[in-house]
Amino acid sequence: MTSNKPKGFELALFIFVLALTSFFVYFSKQSSLNTTKETLTSVAQTQFQAILQASQMSAERFYDDHSHNIAQYMAKALNASPSEKALIRDQLLDEYQTFYDNSRNKGLGVLHLFEKDGTSLLRFHRPREFGDNTIQIRESVNQLVHHQRYTQGLEIGRFREAYRFVFPLFYNGQFVGGMEYSLDFSILRNQLAKQFGGEYQQFLLKDAIAKHTFKDEETNYYQPSTLDEKFLIAKKHALYQVDFAPYINEIKTTANFQEQMASKQAFTVLFNHQSTDMSATFMPLFNTKQDFIGYLLSIHAFKNNEISTLHNQMWIELISLWTLLTLLFLAWRKQAQSTHLIRQILDAQPTMVALSENNKLQFANKTLLNFLGYSDYTAFTQKHDCVCDVFEKDEHFLQKNMQNQLWTDYLNTHPKGINKVKIKNPTTQKMHIFEVTIQQVKNHHINNLITFNDITVIESEKADLKKENQQDKLTGAYNRRGFDILYHEINESFNPKLSLIMLDIDYFKVINDQFGHQTGDHILEALSALISANLREEDAFIRWGGEEFIILLQNTDLKTATLIANKLKTAISQHTFTKVKKLTCSFGVTQHLITDTQESIVKRADQALYRAKKEGRNRVISR
């Protein structure tokens, strides 16, 4: 009786430890895979947005250069007879058809002009198709007609889908119509492949296409996809679809694929194709009304088959671990107690592991103690009762108390809540970020098994990617996306002393024409460096577009902001620039009002800048 009982207990304990440590190995690798998929999803979305943003800038440049001239034609068409409109179309084609044909070779898909009621006046890609009113089909045209509002986004039209940028046109202050500058998917796909590599395909809902597109165009232009009968692809990409077919068949067999497709959210799956590890990222596509209409698929190959390597490492670690545990178990039956064995095993883990009873630390493995700079468990508990005592205070990370709960209780009850913590390494003084997992254990003195997985490098890469996405590459200033995020963060906690300066380089077009765009770029870089050197750390410097910049000044009233603008004006006019020697800028200054939106404060500063330009340039106007 007495000899059999310990053996049964020992065997049960051995199986428990084997299962527990195997779970940690599996969970650690699975966590790495999930982190990889999240990072790939974020990168793919950022790359797609970067291409769209570049296209938007091209559209804005075309609008800035040609809108006034085109608006003159649109004004003539307001009350024109059909024959007069035909003459206006011919004049527009004579003036812009060559430019349009050349632009198509560089990436422009469609140039389309609308009358003020939404009626098509001229499609440069189909000049014989006109006179149809698209206000019921196209939300962007609806916004144009009823609100004279700029709209952008993916939209399905009468002939096909396109990524559209729709601008209102005004002549002498009167709304006279609209101009659409758009690109089809083949152009964006080529730009994505050229910039970032990989393969891309667009899948659109069949019902969405049927709702908007002419029936004969739907039949001629689209065909079913192998992804799902609910989706179509463009026929002119049919050859591309053949290449995608084996990918699609393998992607559809990945775990939870149908559930992820139904979520209408971005996700990445990992698969192996012909002995090559690959990733497939699905990015949801929404129209201008924010209705889901399909997915953009991005496929990339891993250079070194990292996923297969990770799986192989997991099996090697598991087999090594099982062998080690078996040997330890045989030795332990002769000379060690169960608690000591578990601690030896946990001490051998490369991951930081802790055992706790509620908030009181009962055990910390060597990896955790070494990181925190303690020789053993006793040395740590002489200063701390809880491992949470070393958590850095940061509202975005796990704290000792979370929502009136102990942090361990919070982790157990909020599996999708905050699960990251900051801990400083006392030896290197470097801050590390850990992903924390918790497993409840039924034991007399222990109820939580906690692991800390170091994700500092991954978080740093994410931060770098986020910074790159918000930064203008030429000048190092924030771009418009960065401005949107900064303004939103500031506006959440209203600051009555927020001021905004908008400035523009005087006669910059003359400089580009006389000295070339490369000199123009050097001037933009030098000017940005000069302005940044004259700003405080809390001020934000943004490249708004071309030679136009914005400065956000926190805790600064209008009077002080005007003084700062004058100081910058003087510094710029006295600075010697390469080739052009002297340079001046015009400034518009305003202060944030409690009723302001992002659009209204920028518009007010832009109006002040316009006055500065009109009154002779190289001056500051505040309002």
Side-chain angles (χ1 to χ4, degrees), residues 453-465:
N453 186 29
D454 195 333
I455 57 171
T456 307
V457 174
I458 294 171
E459 291 295 309
S460 176
E461 290 173 352
K462 286 183 179 179
D464 290 343
L465 186 62

Side-chain angles (χ1 to χ4, degrees), residues 543-583:
R543 186 181 182 191
W544 191 243
E547 69 274 20
E548 201 168 34
F549 297 88
I550 281 177
I551 302 170
L552 278 177
L553 302 169
Q554 296 192 61
N555 302 309
T556 306
D557 59 18
L558 182 60
K559 181 179 179 181
T560 306
T562 304
L563 290 173
I564 292 171
N566 275 294
K567 175 186 172 184
L568 291 173
K569 178 178 75 71
T570 302
I572 293 167
S573 63
Q574 293 178 350
H575 186 80
T576 301
F577 291 86
T578 304
K579 289 190 178 181
V580 299
K581 303 301 180 187
K582 296 300 179 184
L583 190 75

Side-chain angles (χ1 to χ4, degrees), residues 513-531:
D513 292 343
Q514 184 174 354
F515 297 100
H517 288 279
Q518 187 173 9
T519 298
D521 286 348
H522 289 326
I523 289 172
L524 290 172
E525 291 175 308
L527 177 67
S528 299
L530 177 62
I531 292 175

